[in-house]
Amino acid sequence: MSTIADLHRKKKQIVVPVFYHVPSSNVRRQAGPYLDHFNLQQSRYPEETINKWKTDMTYLSNVYGFDIVDSNGQEPNHLERIIGDVAKKLNHSFTLITSDLIGIQPRVAELERSC
């Protein structure tokens, strides 16, 4: 996570955090299981390293991303939104050569329509 935060901060890489089955606010505040995890790591890593991780998690949770907390089986819909968002950020249009992939044509056409 620290490497991702550094790439976003220093190299201006595009980052799209996806918080899957966890609210970004829990990551931002290191609450719940995140607090427990950091407490467990204190005996294994230097305090400086843990503090950097906490800072980076807070930073990334403030970057525009996607919270997928209660998906109710809607993962494909969320995935389509995420792919569309990334494609827009990268100014990418899907022009794949897909003639050899059986059954992919309708999916590619649908994806192109959503972008």
Side-chain angles (χ1 to χ4, degrees):
M1 181 151 305
S2 287
T3 301
I4 294 169
D6 288 342
L7 287 171
H8 186 258
R9 271 192 219 108
K10 297 174 185 171
K11 306 244 184 206
K12 304 302 180 203
Q13 293 282 324
I14 295 172
V15 173
V16 181
V18 177
F19 302 97
Y20 189 70
H21 292 287
V22 60
S24 58
S25 61
N26 278 4
V27 177
R28 183 176 304 111
R29 294 179 284 119
Q30 287 93 50
Y34 289 92
L35 178 62
D36 297 339
H37 178 73
F38 281 122
N39 287 340
L40 288 173
Q41 301 306 317
Q42 287 181 346
S43 64
R44 300 172 74 189
Y45 296 95
E47 185 177 349
E48 179 181 298
T49 300
I50 292 173
N51 288 337
K52 179 161 177 33
W53 290 344
K54 287 180 178 183
T55 300
D56 291 339
M57 289 181 77
T58 300
Y59 173 79
L60 288 174
S61 67
N62 286 318
V63 172
Y64 168 78
F66 293 90
D67 281 18
I68 304 173
V69 179
D70 188 15
S71 58
N72 292 324
Q74 298 299 312
E75 282 86 357
N77 295 339
H78 292 295
L79 188 57
E80 285 180 20
R81 280 188 14 236
I82 294 166
I83 291 170
D85 181 72
V86 169
K88 284 179 189 173
K89 286 181 192 276
L90 296 176
N91 197 24
H92 178 76
S93 60
F94 292 94
T95 57
L96 300 172
I97 299 171
T98 58
S99 57
D100 293 342
L101 301 175
I102 297 169
I104 196 75
Q105 293 294 348
R107 291 181 174 93
V108 169
E110 185 178 335
L111 186 58
E112 286 175 334
R113 282 192 303 272
S114 68
C115 290

